[in-house]
Amino acid sequence: MSAHHHKETFVTKYIFSLDHKMISKQFLVTGMIMGVIGVLMSLLFRLQIAWPEHSFSIIEAFLPERFQSEAGVMKPDIYLALVTIHGTIMVFFVLTAGLSGTFSNLLIPLQIGARDMASGFMNCLSYWLFFISSVIMVISLFVQAGPASAGWTIYPPLSALPQAIPGSGTGMTLWLVSMAIFIAQSLIGSLNYIVTILNLRTKGMTMTRLPLTMWALFITAIIGVVSFPVLFSAALLLIFDRSFGTSFYLSDIFIGGEVLNYQGGSPVLFEHLFWFLGHPEVYIVLLPALGLTSEIISTNSRKPIFGYRAMIGSIMAIAFLSTIVWGHHMFISGMNPFLGSVFTFTTLLIAIPSAVKAFNYITTLWKGNLQFNPAMLFSIGLVSTFITGGLTGIVLGDSALDINVHDTYFVVAHFHLVMGVSAIYGMYAGIYHWFPKMYGRMMNKTLGYIHFWITAIAAYGVFFPMHFIGLAGLPRRYYTNTNFPLFDDLANVNQVMTVFALIGGAAQIVFLVNFFMSIYKGKVASQNPWRSNTLEWTTPVEHIHGNWPGEIPEVYRWPYDYSKVDENGEYIFGEDYIMQTVPLKAGEQES
Amino acid sequence: MLALFYFFVAVAFAIGVWQVNKLLTYRVIFKEIKDGKKIITFENDNNPIATEKDNDIQGKLFLIFLVGFYLFMGYCLIYLHDLMLPDAASIEGEDYDNLYIITFWLIGIVQFITQALLYFFSYKYRGIKGRKATFFADSHKLELIWTTIPTVVLAVLILYGLSIWNDVTDLEGDEAIVVEVYAKQFAWEARYAGRDNELGRGNVRNISGANTMGIDMSDEHAADDIPVRELHLPVGKKVVFKFRSQDVLHSAYMPHFRAQMNCVPGMVTEFGFTPKYTTEEMRQQEDVILKVASVNAAREANGEEPYEFDYLLLCNKICGPSHYNMQMKIVVESEKDYLIWLNQQKTAKELF
Ligand code: HEM
Ligand SMILES: [Cu+2]
Ligand SMILES: [Cu+2]
């Protein structure tokens, strides 16, 4: 690596920065802005589903007039548009780019002991592509007929035919363009992460001395490289069908009083391609969160993470299995029932490594000396929602049981807990924990506590009762349930859930205030505030190019030597943590 | 409601500003150095890192949260129970319900145990100054246990689940009644196979006038087909549904029968079941009575007409703006009544 000693201007420092630490902040802030948009949308459509067709001044204020059927009431297709863009933004822009982008960029060089990413240019390019795709997605909200409205899964023919829903016109085109750029962004970023981790580890940093965060980010990048291109092809074929009259996904369609000129295609093909990315995608979202959490739980328990090698093994098992379970989203798509059996088998297999991870976290807490920093609270919250949400996966993964709950609110509850809430918790945990590394200051602790407890109560308040309305047979993506007397007694439950959602949404303001004010006013951080073992805490608080002022430190041990004692039961180095840069003491066994 | 939201926003914002401002309240501290000289330092007593007191408070909050969470789960399990779907109204659904009950007991128990461990450990091992955490990095025995147990349990679930799946999806065999269910934005239609119990071919290219399902009248099986707008099924007889869609994906969802299948343009999908209770009998089922009572309580509060139970077919795949309003009534009745009804319907040949 060349030492970077070129002159810096405002543009090279803050805008087209090649420094991984700055790029990670760019990812984070962009992700947060998208997150605010995504969450606001969900509050709007929750208002509609809880008080159908009531007039709300907030809806009147936020939505253009043409999106309202009467003042303050959204139109049915706009309800679907909000659901669609909410899903897209949260899954891809916040929890993929916002989460992986931020922490891969920040932590990979720092934790493996590298001066920067393998390619600073690709890194910068990846951020700016992400930025462009975010801008296009936001612009799509303003097109005349409304944004894409076919669900975040954009199944054709609905997504292919503007006659079927207005959002499938220009809105859908922009969605596809934005996502194509997004995929390019993700691929460029992932390749860079993989290469960096494989090649730029400092002396002594063997693969089995990598922090679990690194393992998680590494495997996540590999899953991304394997599966995102398939979504790209799916999108490309959809663009062909929409614009050039091909029939990959379309056949025998009669709509708007005429037969369309498509023959021989099948939407089921699209479902296969989509979910070949779609299922791995849920792990692309979840694994980084679990990786951050592993680090935080171990540090704050003052104990090694339990079963380090088993954790690596389960990450790899999950990564492998996640590419052969996609069919569990399609049990009743019309695909051959025998295939359904195969996917049931592989899907329930993936529950095993997931269970191992959950048990290992719980064991890590056992007999620890837990330090309840805000990051730790969110990590414990993550384990809780991961279990609650993961268990319902056993219901959904069983093809026989899925028949009756597929596409109901039960699925919505499942994936919000296991993926949505868990990954958001992981992201918050990461922000609270590494804020001192990013901004050189500390976030306020009390605000962190308030933020956690309100969020924790609100999240279960929204998503736990949701299982039951799903088991009552309530389909997802309904504009209102009032047309079915069968569901009239669920209205109360829906209202309670919406109130919890509003409370939870408001609690995030506590976080935003804390975040932005701490950047300027937070207490100045010490070099290693959490008394952690990993390499990033050996760099100076002030950011410098190349991360370490002198030589890159050498690594002599794994990252989890917390509370390690000698034969007499005394801490080996007098402290309850031993940084990776500390050589083994004479007679000390490597753990 | 909205006022409440604004209120929360205001409170959240106020707390935020108040707290961060507290950060700025540095205290002036005078320290004496040996020779009587005083120096002044500024210190802030708001420690951003968890102290022993914080650990204590947060640990206890976790315990309280655990209790609250248990109560909340219990409340949902007990009070939301009546809202859920009644026992299956099809023969095949009985197995479904069995598997469902076994699975829910299982995940319920695991949920209650693991959450208890998680939050209880958080409370029990909350940090205390001077306490040494136990260096416990690995135990192959423990890991073996919690790999094996889930594996065995899941193996049992998989086997039982797959045997049911095979039964449900096996539509070969003895004379089932064949019914086509036809989806379009935003309505359902249906077609009985008629005397020959074989449906005439259909394709959207044949749609014209009254022939809204695109039945190919040149097919010899088509003439006796019976297009209808309401489904009637005889109790105790296996029905095999053939699903088609004319425009986008839809999903035919008949929750009381534990039945669902996507309707895919360009292809025919199928599903089958055997109705177990007539609509009248179903209305007398205990959990249906409970469910209807809870629906009617809600309706009365809104000043709406009371509701009477009916089987329903609804759309469960996002299909356009009026996806939320795409339903068809299903009547299950004795075979005699069913035949009477069927004979009153016009055949395709009579209609067009
Ligand atoms: C561990 C992390 C997991 C994540 C992040 C996750 C995420 C998701 C998501 C996003 C969906 C929604 C798809 C849709 O739009 O319909 C979903 C559905 C599903 N999940 Fe998971 N899941 C996880 C774990 C599991 C596990 C452990 C299982 C099975 C043992 C499972 C089985 C399923 C099945 C079968 C569906 C499809 C249900 C349906 O559409 O009817 N998931 N999951
Ligand atoms: Cu999946
Ligand atoms: Cu539909």
Side-chain angles (χ1 to χ4, degrees):
Chain A
M1 291 298 302
S2 64
H4 305 266
H5 279 308
H6 45 88
K7 262 238 196 74
E8 285 203 313
T9 62
F10 179 82
V11 171
T12 57
K13 179 150 184 218
Y14 293 105
I15 299 183
F16 297 114
S17 170
L18 301 184
D19 187 290
H20 70 101
K21 302 184 286 299
M22 180 55 71
I23 293 175
S24 103
K25 291 192 237 178
Q26 293 173 324
F27 267 106
L28 180 58
V29 173
T30 314
M32 274 163 60
I33 293 170
M34 294 304 273
V36 170
I37 299 175
V39 168
L40 276 178
M41 288 182 158
S42 74
L43 296 183
L44 294 184
F45 66 68
R46 276 305 318 174
L47 284 175
Q48 156 63 26
I49 199 74
W51 290 278
E53 291 160 88
H54 274 243
S55 171
F56 289 101
S57 52
I58 192 169
I59 290 177
E60 197 174 352
F62 272 101
L63 296 181
E65 214 168 303
R66 64 181 191 281
F67 291 175
Q68 302 174 26
S69 49
E70 51 190 282
V73 182
M74 66 182 69
K75 286 186 179 167
D77 61 311
I78 294 307
Y79 178 87
L80 296 179
L82 288 174
V83 176
T84 302
I85 305 294
H86 162 76
T88 309
I89 286 185
M90 296 313 280
V91 171
F92 293 109
F93 291 80
V94 181
L95 292 178
T96 304
L99 177 60
S100 278
T102 303
F103 289 103
S104 298
N105 274 305
L106 178 72
L107 293 178
I108 288 177
L110 289 176
Q111 286 199 339
I112 66 171
R115 299 235 179 253
D116 205 317
M117 283 288 180
S119 163
F121 169 73
M122 271 169 74
N123 219 12
C124 174
L125 183 66
S126 144
Y127 170 72
W128 283 102
L129 289 178
F130 170 51
F131 182 81
I132 293 170
S133 84
S134 304
V135 169
I136 295 176
M137 191 56 79
V138 172
I139 286 176
S140 84
L141 304 178
F142 299 97
V143 301
Q144 182 65 28
S149 328
W152 77 282
T153 50
I154 56 154
Y155 285 179
L158 186 58
S159 60
L161 307 172
Q163 305 94 306
I165 193 165
S168 290
T170 324
M172 191 65 216
T173 306
L174 290 176
W175 192 99
L176 287 166
V177 171
S178 165
M179 280 308 295
I181 299 174
F182 183 93
I183 293 167
Q185 167 283 128
S186 162
L187 288 177
I188 294 173
S190 300
L191 286 173
N192 211 359
Y193 307 151
I194 295 171
V195 171
T196 308
I197 292 184
L198 286 179
N199 293 320
L200 298 185
R201 279 168 291 129
T202 182
K203 198 164 166 220
M205 184 63 90
T206 56
M207 289 305 270
T208 48
R209 283 184 185 158
L210 282 179
L212 284 177
T213 319
M214 288 301 103
W215 270 103
L217 294 173
F218 177 57
I219 303 278
T220 302
I222 295 178
I223 307 179
V225 170
V226 171
S227 54
F228 264 117
V230 179
L231 181 64
F232 190 80
S233 3
L236 206 61
L237 299 188
L238 185 54
I239 291 174
F240 285 170
D241 276 9
R242 286 165 51 84
S243 307
F244 308 123
T246 56
S247 298
F248 291 105
Y249 306 132
L250 308 177
S251 180
D252 296 340
I253 293 170
F254 179 94
I255 195 165
E258 54 169 353
V259 177
L260 302 185
N261 190 20
Y262 295 108
Q263 192 141 36
S266 170
V268 179
L269 169 64
F270 179 86
E271 296 179 39
H272 280 294
L273 295 175
F274 181 88
W275 286 112
F276 186 85
L277 159 92
H279 188 84
E281 168 63 21
V282 306
Y283 287 99
I284 292 176
V285 163
L286 192 73
L287 283 181
L290 291 176
L292 301 177
T293 298
S294 305
E295 212 55 40
I296 294 167
I297 286 192
S298 173
T299 301
N300 287 294
S301 301
R302 316 309 296 163
K303 265 186 75 184
I305 191 88
F306 181 78
Y308 174 74
R309 276 160 202 271
M311 291 294 236
I312 298 177
S314 23
I315 295 177
M316 294 209 252
I318 287 176
F320 170 70
L321 289 171
S322 78
T323 58
I324 51 167
V325 299
W326 77 89
H328 64 216
H329 299 269
M330 304 168 57
F331 286 136
I332 53 165
S333 62
M335 105 188 151
N336 186 325
F338 174 72
L339 260 182
S341 316
V342 176
F343 282 118
T344 294
F345 179 71
T346 54
T347 299
L348 294 184
L349 274 190
I350 207 173
I352 297 167
S354 308
V356 169
K357 283 188 85 76
F359 286 128
N360 283 3
Y361 285 127
I362 294 179
T363 315
T364 305
L365 299 182
W366 182 67
K367 289 198 171 177
N369 190 27
L370 313 185
Q371 305 299 310
F372 288 125
N373 292 303
M376 181 67 167
L377 301 192
F378 276 101
S379 302
I380 293 174
L382 180 158
V383 179
S384 175
T385 51
F386 177 57
I387 294 174
T388 312
L391 283 171
T392 51
I394 294 174
V395 179
L396 296 170
D398 210 330
S399 51
L401 287 179
D402 188 53
I403 294 170
N404 218 48
V405 283
H406 173 70
D407 261 336
T408 66
Y409 269 94
F410 190 81
V411 176
V412 184
H414 159 73
F415 71 79
H416 274 88
L417 283 174
V418 80
M419 167 170 89
V421 179
S422 298
I424 291 269
Y425 280 5
M427 189 164 169
Y428 280 137
I431 294 173
Y432 281 106
H433 193 76
W434 279 285
F435 191 86
K437 201 73 265 166
M438 295 181 125
Y439 294 100
R441 289 175 188 267
M442 309 292 288
M443 284 178 77
N444 180 303
K445 177 180 66 182
T446 316
L447 281 182
Y449 292 153
I450 296 172
H451 174 213
F452 172 73
W453 285 110
I454 302 181
T455 307
I457 292 169
Y460 272 130
V462 176
F463 295 115
F464 198 78
M466 198 180 271
H467 294 109
F468 296 86
I469 62 174
L471 295 174
L474 187 65
R476 63 197 284 207
R477 294 163 170 169
Y478 270 19
Y479 168 67
T480 161
N481 312 319
T482 46
N483 289 352
F484 295 85
L486 183 64
F487 302 135
D488 277 350
D489 53 345
L490 307 180
N492 293 336
V493 188
N494 261 322
Q495 288 163 1
V496 170
M497 282 160 39
T498 296
V499 171
F500 274 117
L502 293 173
I503 295 174
Q508 308 318 304
I509 293 170
V510 178
F511 168 78
L512 291 176
V513 170
N514 192 0
F515 183 87
F516 286 107
M517 286 189 75
S518 298
I519 292 179
Y520 301 102
K521 307 231 157 140
K523 206 173 172 187
V524 174
S526 59
Q527 195 182 22
N528 187 1
W530 318 117
R531 298 180 298 137
S532 190
N533 288 346
T534 36
L535 280 186
E536 75 270 29
W537 305 106
T538 59
T539 60
V541 176
E542 279 290 312
H543 284 179
I544 55 170
H545 256 322
N547 296 337
W548 285 270
E551 292 278 282
I552 299 182
E554 194 177 331
V555 164
Y556 298 96
R557 56 177 75 237
W558 77 327
Y560 298 110
D561 275 341
Y562 290 103
S563 299
K564 195 176 182 189
V565 291
D566 57 22
E567 313 81 73
N568 310 324
E570 295 298 323
Y571 293 135
I572 296 181
F573 287 89
E575 288 274 9
D576 66 353
Y577 68 110
I578 310 172
M579 297 196 78
Q580 286 188 278
T581 48
V582 178
L584 293 184
K585 207 173 191 174
E588 186 193 346
Q589 291 280 329
E590 185 168 1
S591 331
Chain B
M1 206 35 248
L2 203 60
L4 195 63
F5 178 59
Y6 287 142
F7 176 72
F8 284 129
V9 170
V11 170
F13 199 77
I15 296 178
V17 174
W18 161 56
Q19 268 297 321
V20 180
N21 264 320
K22 247 176 85 177
L23 279 177
L24 304 174
T25 56
Y26 291 87
R27 264 189 313 164
V28 183
I29 295 180
F30 297 93
K31 275 191 190 154
E32 275 188 45
I33 311 182
K34 274 176 217 139
D35 51 2
K37 262 193 194 162
K38 280 182 179 169
I39 58 155
I40 304 171
T41 59
F42 294 90
E43 270 179 35
N44 177 346
D45 57 349
N46 189 340
N47 186 346
I49 298 167
T51 61
E52 204 174 332
K53 191 168 144 227
D54 293 321
N55 291 338
D56 193 51
I57 297 175
Q58 300 303 319
K60 286 175 181 157
L61 285 178
F62 272 120
L63 193 64
I64 296 172
F65 187 78
L66 173 65
V67 175
F69 188 33
Y70 264 35
L71 290 177
F72 184 59
M73 288 197 293
Y75 176 87
C76 288
L77 285 169
I78 294 166
Y79 288 94
L80 300 187
H81 186 266
D82 290 350
L83 309 185
M84 295 195 284
L85 288 170
D87 286 349
S90 67
I91 307 280
E92 294 76 3
E94 289 171 9
D95 283 333
Y96 179 101
D97 283 4
N98 269 337
L99 177 63
Y100 172 98
I101 289 167
I102 295 173
T103 311
F104 270 89
W105 271 103
L106 232 137
I107 65 174
I109 292 170
V110 176
Q111 165 77 349
F112 272 83
I113 294 177
T114 47
Q115 300 288 345
L117 290 178
L118 176 69
Y119 288 116
F120 182 71
F121 287 172
S122 303
Y123 160 74
K124 175 108 189 279
Y125 300 108
R126 64 195 186 280
I128 294 175
K129 258 221 172 61
R131 174 158 77 204
K132 280 201 178 73
T134 308
F135 189 90
F136 181 48
D138 228 336
S139 157
H140 291 301
K141 205 169 116 201
L142 279 180
E143 278 165 348
L144 198 67
I145 293 177
W146 57 59
T147 316
T148 324
I149 294 181
T151 311
V152 172
V153 173
L154 286 173
V156 174
L157 281 183
I158 291 178
L159 288 179
Y160 189 29
L162 287 186
S163 83
I164 296 177
W165 174 250
N166 282 339
D167 290 348
V168 172
T169 52
D170 178 17
L171 303 173
E172 304 293 308
D174 32 33
E175 24 7 282
I177 298 173
V178 177
V179 184
E180 176 178 81
V181 169
Y182 184 80
K184 62 178 170 189
Q185 283 186 331
F186 298 97
W188 296 99
E189 293 181 30
R191 169 163 66 124
Y192 288 80
R195 222 165 299 115
D196 59 359
N197 203 24
E198 198 142 346
L199 290 163
R201 275 190 310 269
N203 187 299
V204 294
R205 285 160 221 277
N206 305 321
I207 293 176
S208 76
N211 187 359
T212 50
M213 282 185 275
I215 304 169
D216 180 355
M217 292 308 286
S218 65
D219 184 349
E220 53 174 324
H221 300 297
D224 64 340
D225 289 358
I226 305 168
V228 294
R229 297 290 163 103
E230 188 176 90
L231 269 180
H232 283 238
L233 306 175
V235 69
K237 282 225 140 177
K238 176 124 186 173
V239 187
V240 169
F241 295 92
K242 308 271 180 186
F243 301 98
R244 281 199 300 136
S245 163
Q246 108 178 2
D247 37 39
V248 299
L249 289 171
H250 300 267
S251 188
Y253 184 34
M254 297 172 260
H256 299 102
F257 303 103
R258 312 293 186 253
Q260 182 172 198
M261 183 51 69
N262 286 1
C263 310
V264 185
M267 117 186 216
V268 179
T269 56
E270 48 185 11
F271 200 86
F273 62 79
T274 315
K276 189 169 140 192
Y277 304 118
T278 62
T279 303
E280 275 309 323
E281 285 163 355
M282 192 66 178
R283 286 177 183 161
Q284 306 309 322
Q285 298 291 313
E286 204 178 327
D287 32 4
V288 175
I289 293 175
L290 279 174
K291 169 78 187 176
V292 170
S294 95
V295 168
N296 279 335
R299 290 179 72 82
E300 205 180 312
N302 297 339
E304 287 164 323
E305 301 275 284
Y307 149 81
E308 201 174 24
F309 174 84
D310 265 312
Y311 293 118
L312 268 189
L313 163 66
L314 26 85
C315 180
N316 198 14
K317 180 67 74 193
I318 180 173
C319 64
S322 296
H323 168 53
Y324 67 94
N325 189 15
M326 193 170 151
Q327 51 181 309
M328 183 156 75
K329 187 166 136 184
I330 304 175
V331 179
V332 179
E333 55 201 356
S334 69
E335 190 165 8
K336 196 171 124 229
D337 291 345
Y338 159 75
L339 287 174
I340 293 174
W341 172 82
L342 197 62
N343 284 329
Q344 289 164 353
Q345 310 303 316
K346 293 206 170 73
T347 62
K349 195 169 161 209
E350 289 164 345
L351 282 169
F352 32 85

